[in-house]
Amino acid sequence: MNFDLDTEHELIRSTVREFAQQRVAPVAEELDRESRFPYELVAELGELGLMGMTIPEEFGGAGADTVAYAIAVEELTRVDSSVAITMAAHHSLGTLPIYYFGSDEQKQQWLPDLTSWKALAAFGLTEPDAGSDAGATRTRAELRDGEWVVNGSKIFITNAGTDITSCVTITAQTGDGEISNIIVPNGTPGYEISKPMKKLGWRASDTRELSFKDAKVPEGNLLGPRGEGFQQFLTILDGGRISVAAMGVGLAQGAYDLAYAYAQERQQFGRPIAKFQAIQFKLADMATEIEAGRAMVYKAAWLKDQGRDFGLAAAQAKLYTGELSNRAVNRSLQIHGGYGYMDEYAISRLYRDQKILEIGEGTNEVQRLVIARHLGL
């Protein structure tokens, strides 16, 4: 059993870490304060090949494996969650459904732009009355004269309303007890996108509410066979949990980095607070739990790359790292003391960004349900 990363994975880690530190870190606080979408950084991520990492090269992707993708997400989140979720949601939720379930024609139409920085994609699953119970979707799509006529609404959708968003794949009832996925291009008449939603964290990411009023899209925009939408989005959510779990590790590592550096600098009672056992124990606990969380994430990603069942591992990793990141930001802010409560210190941003990791891509409670079912309970 070898826990060393290979040369390719080490190169990805060093490349993304350098980009995050040199390009993202200097503007992260400003982007957060202004709730400004990072268009320039998205373009650079595309040039680095990170916007379509696991998509094959024939469609413009980098052809990387899931472990490499998890490493990239982790390194971005270590510095800024908004940039990380923009990349992760675009890849895992926006692009992969088209790659996994789309026809050859759909792949040729959408993937080349989505795997570069030219376009973003979104996935519309959550509705005002269908969150954890995603199968209770009320959005309907009726086939009339060769077109799907869509009516309904979605909420909390990432990347749906940027200037470069090209489409959203939505779940909709296409018959009694039948859910299908349909690609809706931005600009479709009857498809309206709200103003950006104001959030506690992830302020530089794009989050919208979507509404459909007799929005008409071609019959050929159906993603995969009719009626298989429920199983499709379960597959997408399994993979997406690896993304969010990687974010949990990255955010915890970022919180640790800030706490470690501050503890070396902050003087109390004539010496750095890092010399006090109370602080040392907090840092020791953080480092230990981060190591465990990272191993869980990489295992889930590795299982996916091996073509093996990774659903249980992904749910466990997502649950553990979500709660790990909560503990990490709390310990880090405590080490910062009163300064950590001030917005001028980065830990305050990480503290706000953390909470969604226990909610998005399936709440902690849902993860426990998923895990229990895998255990045969």
Side-chain angles (χ1 to χ4, degrees), residues 276-288:
F276 293 101
Q277 190 179 72
I279 302 301
Q280 293 174 352
F281 280 11
K282 284 182 172 61
L283 291 169
D285 287 345
M286 291 166 69
T288 301

mmCIF file with all atom_site columns, all heavy atoms in Angstrom, residues 276-288:
data_model
loop_
_atom_site.group_PDB
_atom_site.id
_atom_site.type_symbol
_atom_site.label_atom_id
_atom_site.label_alt_id
_atom_site.label_comp_id
_atom_site.label_asym_id
_atom_site.label_entity_id
_atom_site.label_seq_id
_atom_site.pdbx_PDB_ins_code
_atom_site.Cartn_x
_atom_site.Cartn_y
_atom_site.Cartn_z
_atom_site.occupancy
_atom_site.B_iso_or_equiv
_atom_site.pdbx_formal_charge
_atom_site.auth_seq_id
_atom_site.auth_comp_id
_atom_site.auth_asym_id
_atom_site.auth_atom_id
_atom_site.pdbx_PDB_model_num
ATOM 1   N N   . PHE A 1 276 ? 2.231  27.707 24.086 1.00 0.00 ? 276 PHE A N   1
ATOM 2   C CA  . PHE A 1 276 ? 1.331  27.289 25.155 1.00 0.00 ? 276 PHE A CA  1
ATOM 3   C C   . PHE A 1 276 ? 0.632  25.979 24.783 1.00 0.00 ? 276 PHE A C   1
ATOM 4   O O   . PHE A 1 276 ? 0.182  25.794 23.643 1.00 0.00 ? 276 PHE A O   1
ATOM 5   C CB  . PHE A 1 276 ? 0.293  28.374 25.451 1.00 0.00 ? 276 PHE A CB  1
ATOM 6   C CG  . PHE A 1 276 ? 0.886  29.618 26.038 1.00 0.00 ? 276 PHE A CG  1
ATOM 7   C CD1 . PHE A 1 276 ? 1.109  30.735 25.240 1.00 0.00 ? 276 PHE A CD1 1
ATOM 8   C CD2 . PHE A 1 276 ? 1.237  29.672 27.383 1.00 0.00 ? 276 PHE A CD2 1
ATOM 9   C CE1 . PHE A 1 276 ? 1.654  31.883 25.776 1.00 0.00 ? 276 PHE A CE1 1
ATOM 10  C CE2 . PHE A 1 276 ? 1.791  30.815 27.919 1.00 0.00 ? 276 PHE A CE2 1
ATOM 11  C CZ  . PHE A 1 276 ? 2.009  31.918 27.113 1.00 0.00 ? 276 PHE A CZ  1
ATOM 12  N N   . GLN A 1 277 ? 0.541  25.074 25.738 1.00 0.00 ? 277 GLN A N   1
ATOM 13  C CA  . GLN A 1 277 ? -0.011 23.745 25.469 1.00 0.00 ? 277 GLN A CA  1
ATOM 14  C C   . GLN A 1 277 ? -1.455 23.811 24.973 1.00 0.00 ? 277 GLN A C   1
ATOM 15  O O   . GLN A 1 277 ? -1.861 23.017 24.115 1.00 0.00 ? 277 GLN A O   1
ATOM 16  C CB  . GLN A 1 277 ? 0.078  22.889 26.732 1.00 0.00 ? 277 GLN A CB  1
ATOM 17  C CG  . GLN A 1 277 ? -0.239 21.420 26.501 1.00 0.00 ? 277 GLN A CG  1
ATOM 18  C CD  . GLN A 1 277 ? -0.126 20.607 27.775 1.00 0.00 ? 277 GLN A CD  1
ATOM 19  O OE1 . GLN A 1 277 ? -0.964 20.710 28.662 1.00 0.00 ? 277 GLN A OE1 1
ATOM 20  N NE2 . GLN A 1 277 ? 0.931  19.799 27.865 1.00 0.00 ? 277 GLN A NE2 1
ATOM 21  N N   . ALA A 1 278 ? -2.233 24.754 25.485 1.00 0.00 ? 278 ALA A N   1
ATOM 22  C CA  . ALA A 1 278 ? -3.632 24.868 25.061 1.00 0.00 ? 278 ALA A CA  1
ATOM 23  C C   . ALA A 1 278 ? -3.731 25.110 23.560 1.00 0.00 ? 278 ALA A C   1
ATOM 24  O O   . ALA A 1 278 ? -4.617 24.560 22.878 1.00 0.00 ? 278 ALA A O   1
ATOM 25  C CB  . ALA A 1 278 ? -4.327 25.995 25.818 1.00 0.00 ? 278 ALA A CB  1
ATOM 26  N N   . ILE A 1 279 ? -2.850 25.919 23.007 1.00 0.00 ? 279 ILE A N   1
ATOM 27  C CA  . ILE A 1 279 ? -2.835 26.198 21.573 1.00 0.00 ? 279 ILE A CA  1
ATOM 28  C C   . ILE A 1 279 ? -2.255 25.011 20.815 1.00 0.00 ? 279 ILE A C   1
ATOM 29  O O   . ILE A 1 279 ? -2.758 24.617 19.755 1.00 0.00 ? 279 ILE A O   1
ATOM 30  C CB  . ILE A 1 279 ? -2.017 27.464 21.285 1.00 0.00 ? 279 ILE A CB  1
ATOM 31  C CG1 . ILE A 1 279 ? -2.593 28.662 22.063 1.00 0.00 ? 279 ILE A CG1 1
ATOM 32  C CG2 . ILE A 1 279 ? -2.004 27.750 19.788 1.00 0.00 ? 279 ILE A CG2 1
ATOM 33  C CD1 . ILE A 1 279 ? -4.031 28.979 21.754 1.00 0.00 ? 279 ILE A CD1 1
ATOM 34  N N   . GLN A 1 280 ? -1.200 24.434 21.348 1.00 0.00 ? 280 GLN A N   1
ATOM 35  C CA  . GLN A 1 280 ? -0.574 23.286 20.690 1.00 0.00 ? 280 GLN A CA  1
ATOM 36  C C   . GLN A 1 280 ? -1.558 22.136 20.515 1.00 0.00 ? 280 GLN A C   1
ATOM 37  O O   . GLN A 1 280 ? -1.586 21.477 19.463 1.00 0.00 ? 280 GLN A O   1
ATOM 38  C CB  . GLN A 1 280 ? 0.638  22.815 21.506 1.00 0.00 ? 280 GLN A CB  1
ATOM 39  C CG  . GLN A 1 280 ? 1.791  23.806 21.531 1.00 0.00 ? 280 GLN A CG  1
ATOM 40  C CD  . GLN A 1 280 ? 2.901  23.373 22.473 1.00 0.00 ? 280 GLN A CD  1
ATOM 41  O OE1 . GLN A 1 280 ? 2.753  22.400 23.223 1.00 0.00 ? 280 GLN A OE1 1
ATOM 42  N NE2 . GLN A 1 280 ? 4.015  24.095 22.445 1.00 0.00 ? 280 GLN A NE2 1
ATOM 43  N N   . PHE A 1 281 ? -2.374 21.887 21.535 1.00 0.00 ? 281 PHE A N   1
ATOM 44  C CA  . PHE A 1 281 ? -3.336 20.786 21.450 1.00 0.00 ? 281 PHE A CA  1
ATOM 45  C C   . PHE A 1 281 ? -4.392 21.045 20.374 1.00 0.00 ? 281 PHE A C   1
ATOM 46  O O   . PHE A 1 281 ? -4.804 20.123 19.666 1.00 0.00 ? 281 PHE A O   1
ATOM 47  C CB  . PHE A 1 281 ? -3.998 20.556 22.808 1.00 0.00 ? 281 PHE A CB  1
ATOM 48  C CG  . PHE A 1 281 ? -3.144 19.771 23.773 1.00 0.00 ? 281 PHE A CG  1
ATOM 49  C CD1 . PHE A 1 281 ? -1.808 19.520 23.516 1.00 0.00 ? 281 PHE A CD1 1
ATOM 50  C CD2 . PHE A 1 281 ? -3.684 19.300 24.963 1.00 0.00 ? 281 PHE A CD2 1
ATOM 51  C CE1 . PHE A 1 281 ? -1.023 18.805 24.401 1.00 0.00 ? 281 PHE A CE1 1
ATOM 52  C CE2 . PHE A 1 281 ? -2.906 18.577 25.857 1.00 0.00 ? 281 PHE A CE2 1
ATOM 53  C CZ  . PHE A 1 281 ? -1.575 18.326 25.573 1.00 0.00 ? 281 PHE A CZ  1
ATOM 54  N N   . LYS A 1 282 ? -4.840 22.294 20.242 1.00 0.00 ? 282 LYS A N   1
ATOM 55  C CA  . LYS A 1 282 ? -5.800 22.624 19.182 1.00 0.00 ? 282 LYS A CA  1
ATOM 56  C C   . LYS A 1 282 ? -5.191 22.358 17.807 1.00 0.00 ? 282 LYS A C   1
ATOM 57  O O   . LYS A 1 282 ? -5.825 21.765 16.919 1.00 0.00 ? 282 LYS A O   1
ATOM 58  C CB  . LYS A 1 282 ? -6.243 24.085 19.302 1.00 0.00 ? 282 LYS A CB  1
ATOM 59  C CG  . LYS A 1 282 ? -7.230 24.368 20.417 1.00 0.00 ? 282 LYS A CG  1
ATOM 60  C CD  . LYS A 1 282 ? -7.644 25.837 20.415 1.00 0.00 ? 282 LYS A CD  1
ATOM 61  C CE  . LYS A 1 282 ? -8.793 26.103 21.401 1.00 0.00 ? 282 LYS A CE  1
ATOM 62  N NZ  . LYS A 1 282 ? -8.431 25.785 22.791 1.00 0.00 ? 282 LYS A NZ  1
ATOM 63  N N   . LEU A 1 283 ? -3.955 22.792 17.618 1.00 0.00 ? 283 LEU A N   1
ATOM 64  C CA  . LEU A 1 283 ? -3.289 22.575 16.336 1.00 0.00 ? 283 LEU A CA  1
ATOM 65  C C   . LEU A 1 283 ? -3.028 21.098 16.082 1.00 0.00 ? 283 LEU A C   1
ATOM 66  O O   . LEU A 1 283 ? -3.169 20.611 14.951 1.00 0.00 ? 283 LEU A O   1
ATOM 67  C CB  . LEU A 1 283 ? -1.980 23.363 16.295 1.00 0.00 ? 283 LEU A CB  1
ATOM 68  C CG  . LEU A 1 283 ? -2.140 24.889 16.243 1.00 0.00 ? 283 LEU A CG  1
ATOM 69  C CD1 . LEU A 1 283 ? -0.795 25.579 16.491 1.00 0.00 ? 283 LEU A CD1 1
ATOM 70  C CD2 . LEU A 1 283 ? -2.726 25.334 14.911 1.00 0.00 ? 283 LEU A CD2 1
ATOM 71  N N   . ALA A 1 284 ? -2.668 20.366 17.130 1.00 0.00 ? 284 ALA A N   1
ATOM 72  C CA  . ALA A 1 284 ? -2.427 18.926 16.986 1.00 0.00 ? 284 ALA A CA  1
ATOM 73  C C   . ALA A 1 284 ? -3.701 18.195 16.586 1.00 0.00 ? 284 ALA A C   1
ATOM 74  O O   . ALA A 1 284 ? -3.683 17.304 15.715 1.00 0.00 ? 284 ALA A O   1
ATOM 75  C CB  . ALA A 1 284 ? -1.877 18.356 18.294 1.00 0.00 ? 284 ALA A CB  1
ATOM 76  N N   . ASP A 1 285 ? -4.815 18.551 17.204 1.00 0.00 ? 285 ASP A N   1
ATOM 77  C CA  . ASP A 1 285 ? -6.098 17.920 16.847 1.00 0.00 ? 285 ASP A CA  1
ATOM 78  C C   . ASP A 1 285 ? -6.474 18.240 15.407 1.00 0.00 ? 285 ASP A C   1
ATOM 79  O O   . ASP A 1 285 ? -6.937 17.355 14.657 1.00 0.00 ? 285 ASP A O   1
ATOM 80  C CB  . ASP A 1 285 ? -7.195 18.401 17.796 1.00 0.00 ? 285 ASP A CB  1
ATOM 81  C CG  . ASP A 1 285 ? -7.088 17.798 19.185 1.00 0.00 ? 285 ASP A CG  1
ATOM 82  O OD1 . ASP A 1 285 ? -6.353 16.809 19.346 1.00 0.00 ? 285 ASP A OD1 1
ATOM 83  O OD2 . ASP A 1 285 ? -7.741 18.322 20.112 1.00 0.00 ? 285 ASP A OD2 1
ATOM 84  N N   . MET A 1 286 ? -6.297 19.494 14.996 1.00 0.00 ? 286 MET A N   1
ATOM 85  C CA  . MET A 1 286 ? -6.635 19.885 13.634 1.00 0.00 ? 286 MET A CA  1
ATOM 86  C C   . MET A 1 286 ? -5.803 19.099 12.623 1.00 0.00 ? 286 MET A C   1
ATOM 87  O O   . MET A 1 286 ? -6.337 18.547 11.650 1.00 0.00 ? 286 MET A O   1
ATOM 88  C CB  . MET A 1 286 ? -6.420 21.388 13.447 1.00 0.00 ? 286 MET A CB  1
ATOM 89  C CG  . MET A 1 286 ? -7.401 22.266 14.214 1.00 0.00 ? 286 MET A CG  1
ATOM 90  S SD  . MET A 1 286 ? -6.882 24.000 14.291 1.00 0.00 ? 286 MET A SD  1
ATOM 91  C CE  . MET A 1 286 ? -7.087 24.484 12.583 1.00 0.00 ? 286 MET A CE  1
ATOM 92  N N   . ALA A 1 287 ? -4.499 19.041 12.850 1.00 0.00 ? 287 ALA A N   1
ATOM 93  C CA  . ALA A 1 287 ? -3.608 18.352 11.916 1.00 0.00 ? 287 ALA A CA  1
ATOM 94  C C   . ALA A 1 287 ? -3.964 16.872 11.803 1.00 0.00 ? 287 ALA A C   1
ATOM 95  O O   . ALA A 1 287 ? -3.939 16.294 10.705 1.00 0.00 ? 287 ALA A O   1
ATOM 96  C CB  . ALA A 1 287 ? -2.161 18.515 12.364 1.00 0.00 ? 287 ALA A CB  1
ATOM 97  N N   . THR A 1 288 ? -4.303 16.266 12.923 1.00 0.00 ? 288 THR A N   1
ATOM 98  C CA  . THR A 1 288 ? -4.642 14.836 12.924 1.00 0.00 ? 288 THR A CA  1
ATOM 99  C C   . THR A 1 288 ? -5.927 14.569 12.154 1.00 0.00 ? 288 THR A C   1
ATOM 100 O O   . THR A 1 288 ? -6.006 13.652 11.322 1.00 0.00 ? 288 THR A O   1
ATOM 101 C CB  . THR A 1 288 ? -4.784 14.334 14.374 1.00 0.00 ? 288 THR A CB  1
ATOM 102 O OG1 . THR A 1 288 ? -3.554 14.556 15.069 1.00 0.00 ? 288 THR A OG1 1
ATOM 103 C CG2 . THR A 1 288 ? -5.130 12.852 14.408 1.00 0.00 ? 288 THR A CG2 1
#
